[in-house]
Amino acid sequence: MTLTLGVLASGSGSNFEAIGRAIERGELDAKIAVLVCNKEKAGVFARARDLGIPAVHVSHKHFESREAFEARICEVLAEHGVEWLVLAGFMRLVGATLLSAYPDRILNIHPALLPAFPGLHGARQALEAGVRETGCTVHLVDAGCDTGPRLAQALVPVEAGDDEASLTARIQRQEHRLYPLVLQWIAEGRLEARARRPGFPGLLPPTDDLVIFDGGEA
Ligand code: GRF
């Protein structure tokens, strides 16, 4: 089943591009129908042009409430037939309007092994905590901040001499692999099949350097 995706972003958009390139290479059975970005000057717009993906600027500053902002985003997504919503560096909390329009169909990627280091600056938090290993997590979005059920994680070593930039770059290389992979699992119906069973949303399969959690309590 070809997934019709909408991507929400606020920044550089390297994850957006990684998903778009995976589609171009035939590794992901999906289409990005539209990019919605809340920052007018974000680098992600140039990437959308290169990929030939329609891009729409919707600024939260133009709306009086989160509900109104999200209602406008929902209109754009509906105009493009979006079925699954992919957050890729979207720097706003998701509220009830989007959550109820896409129940259990909003994904996010976070630069840490959740539940460790939620919120901003995942790589910086890992360095400050002195951990030897961190990673990234793809999870379903719920009303909390980085609290939704985890679908997949990739491990990333912290190396001697790492600073925030070097560690972030290493994490992002894994993000760019993991996000398209999880989306392809969804395209193959594996998430939905498992969602009907107890223990949702365990996903398979682990590969050499991926650790897959079952989405339950840690
Ligand atoms: C990624 O590191 C992701 O984990 C976090 O925001 C960052 C977005 O980067 N949610 P990019 O805009 O995809 O390059």
Side-chain angles (χ1 to χ4, degrees):
M1 173 186 64
T2 302
L3 296 180
T4 303
L5 306 175
V7 176
L8 297 189
S10 304
S12 128
S14 68
N15 280 284
F16 164 77
E17 175 157 1
I19 293 164
R21 298 294 176 205
I23 293 169
E24 284 184 345
R25 289 194 301 272
E27 293 168 9
L28 169 54
D29 184 11
K31 170 189 168 176
I32 303 178
V34 66
L35 165 76
V36 176
C37 176
N38 63 318
K39 297 273 189 185
E40 194 173 6
K41 297 193 174 143
V44 69
F45 282 112
R47 298 185 198 260
R49 271 196 301 281
D50 285 351
L51 284 158
I53 293 170
V56 180
H57 173 226
V58 182
S59 173
H60 53 282
K61 293 183 183 160
H62 297 160
F63 297 89
E64 281 183 1
S65 63
R66 188 186 308 280
E67 291 71 29
F69 170 55
E70 292 190 352
R72 175 62 195 139
I73 292 175
C74 284
E75 274 176 16
V76 174
L77 299 174
E79 281 163 17
H80 289 84
V82 168
E83 299 164 340
W84 284 82
L85 197 49
V86 176
L87 309 190
F90 182 60
M91 301 303 286
R92 311 293 303 171
L93 276 179
V94 169
T97 306
L98 275 169
L99 286 168
S100 60
Y102 292 91
D104 286 335
R105 285 186 169 227
I106 307 179
L107 299 170
N108 184 43
I109 191 155
H110 181 79
L113 297 175
L114 292 171
F117 314 133
L120 294 175
H121 310 304
R124 189 188 304 174
Q125 291 188 59
L127 286 171
E128 285 170 359
V131 295
R132 295 174 63 181
E133 195 165 58
T134 182
C136 53
T137 304
V138 175
H139 65 96
L140 290 177
V141 173
D142 65 11
C145 177
D146 302 323
T147 52
R150 295 165 294 161
L151 304 182
Q153 297 183 304
L155 295 177
V156 174
V158 180
E159 290 176 3
D162 260 340
D163 59 14
E164 190 176 356
S166 63
L167 182 56
T168 296
R170 196 173 309 114
I171 292 170
Q172 284 217 324
R173 282 197 291 280
Q174 291 303 316
E175 291 184 350
H176 299 161
R177 297 181 56 228
L178 192 65
Y179 223 169
L181 184 64
V182 173
L183 287 164
Q184 177 58 20
W185 292 340
I186 294 170
E188 290 170 8
R190 295 161 82 169
L191 180 69
E192 290 189 339
R194 285 171 169 258
R196 288 191 287 272
R197 294 190 216 155
F200 167 78
L203 277 176
L204 294 169
T207 60
D208 285 345
D209 49 356
L210 293 176
V211 174
I212 310 301
F213 288 81
D214 70 2
E217 291 301 307

